[in-house]
Amino acid sequence: MIKVTRDDFDLSDIIAAAQQGNIGAIVSFHGIVRDDGIEGMDVEAFEEVAEKDLQAIAAEAETRFGVAHVDIIHRVGHLSVGDSIVLIVVGASHRKAAFLACEYIIDRIKEYVPIWKKEYTHEGTRWVQGGH
């Protein structure tokens, strides 16, 4: 499943769906809005392009690392501290490929997918640059 959505997601359902007979390792990355002085954030995306970019990144990871399964879900809209922002689930025959692919995917998302975050603090708002 590759999607940009306003809806929250259930980690356990997505991880369970990744469990297949040929998969010996599942690695996930779950990005969460953290309390580092912010009260919340708006996540915006050029959704049509972002979803295509996420699909391309998943295909790159599958080819480059030989993984068997990739899910990427990225939320948009207003999010509060503790809310889920992004989930990446990678299934592979072996753990090393799954770990490498998962890290590759989040790095690529930060590099070029058109998704932006506007943070709200007690002092006002600020836009967050990619690559964090």
Side-chain angles (χ1 to χ4, degrees):
M1 171 186 337
I2 309 292
K3 70 179 180 176
V4 175
T5 183
R6 293 190 175 282
D7 300 326
D8 200 4
F9 45 80
D10 186 316
L11 280 74
S12 59
D13 287 347
I14 296 164
I15 290 171
Q19 293 177 330
Q20 303 164 13
N22 62 333
I23 291 180
I26 294 176
V27 171
S28 64
F29 172 79
H30 179 208
I32 304 162
V33 179
R34 70 182 176 275
D35 181 0
D36 61 355
I38 69 167
E39 298 164 353
M41 69 174 55
D42 288 333
V43 180
E44 298 179 8
F46 185 173
E47 293 183 37
E48 183 178 301
V49 173
E51 208 160 271
K52 287 180 184 178
D53 287 347
L54 294 177
Q55 290 170 350
I57 290 168
E60 289 171 14
E62 289 170 351
T63 300
R64 185 173 184 158
F65 300 101
V67 298
H69 182 92
V70 174
D71 291 313
I72 307 171
I73 302 170
H74 205 300
R75 291 186 63 199
V76 293
H78 186 77
L79 302 175
S80 299
V81 171
D83 285 346
S84 298
I85 304 171
V86 62
L87 178 65
I88 300 166
V89 176
V90 178
S93 296
H94 302 283
R95 65 180 159 75
K96 186 170 186 174
F99 274 109
L100 290 171
C102 193
E103 183 176 31
Y104 175 82
I105 291 166
I106 192 62
D107 288 346
R108 295 291 285 157
I109 290 170
K110 296 285 188 178
E111 285 173 13
Y112 77 88
V113 178
I115 297 173
W116 308 275
K117 294 186 276 189
K118 182 179 185 179
E119 295 180 340
Y120 292 86
T121 72
H122 66 281
E123 297 174 352
T125 62
R126 65 180 178 232
W127 286 97
V128 178
Q129 299 295 321
H132 292 219

